[in-house]
């Protein structure tokens, strides 16, 4: 439901989450949100497709190399894995 996703994104923004990485592959849109200093940050992964939405909260700290790898990841492999 597009309205529910828009509401979720609005809530994330209201709670000071900012998009860290955004990617599109075919009809999949992936946004990785973060909030706070990198060593204490909270993360939310939002994957949207026409007919479904996948949301994950990521705990712990992220290595900057990992974030760079996400930015350059082959999104089609990730979406195939989730199917």
């Amino acid at each position: 439901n597009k309205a529910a996703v828009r509401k979720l994104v609005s809530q994330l923004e209201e709670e000071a989450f900012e998009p860290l990485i955004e990617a599109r592959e075919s009809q999949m849109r992936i946004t990785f949100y973060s909030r706070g200093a990198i060593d204490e940050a909270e993360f939310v992964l939002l994957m949207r497709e026409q007919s479904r939405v996948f949301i994950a909260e990521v705990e712990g700290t992220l290595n900057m190399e990992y974030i760079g790898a996400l930015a350059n990841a082959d999104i089609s492999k990730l979406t195939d894995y989730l199917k």
Side-chain angles (χ1 to χ4, degrees), residues 1 4 6 9-10 16 20 35 38 42 45 56 66 72-73 75 80 82-83:
N1 184 321
R6 283 194 295 271
V9 170
S10 292
L20 181 62
R35 165 174 76 177
I38 198 71
E42 298 174 72
L45 175 65
Y66 176 73
N72 297 314
I75 302 303
D80 287 346
L82 292 173
K83 289 179 183 181

Side-chain angles (χ1 to χ4, degrees), residues 1-2 27-28 48-53:
N1 184 321
K2 289 183 181 184
Q27 294 185 12
M28 176 71 72
R48 295 175 264 187
E49 228 178 12
Q50 187 75 15
S51 61
R52 63 188 176 154
V53 175

Side-chain angles (χ1 to χ4, degrees), residues 5-51:
V5 171
R6 283 194 295 271
K7 182 177 179 180
L8 172 64
V9 170
S10 292
Q11 288 173 331
L12 288 170
E13 291 171 351
E14 287 174 13
E15 294 178 17
F17 279 91
E18 297 178 0
L20 181 62
I21 296 172
E22 292 188 275
R24 288 180 186 253
E25 176 70 29
S26 198
Q27 294 185 12
M28 176 71 72
R29 180 176 176 185
I30 299 171
T31 310
F32 198 62
Y33 292 91
S34 70
R35 165 174 76 177
I38 198 71
D39 59 337
E40 300 175 0
E42 298 174 72
F43 304 97
V44 173
L45 175 65
L46 178 60
M47 299 177 68
R48 295 175 264 187
E49 228 178 12
Q50 187 75 15
S51 61

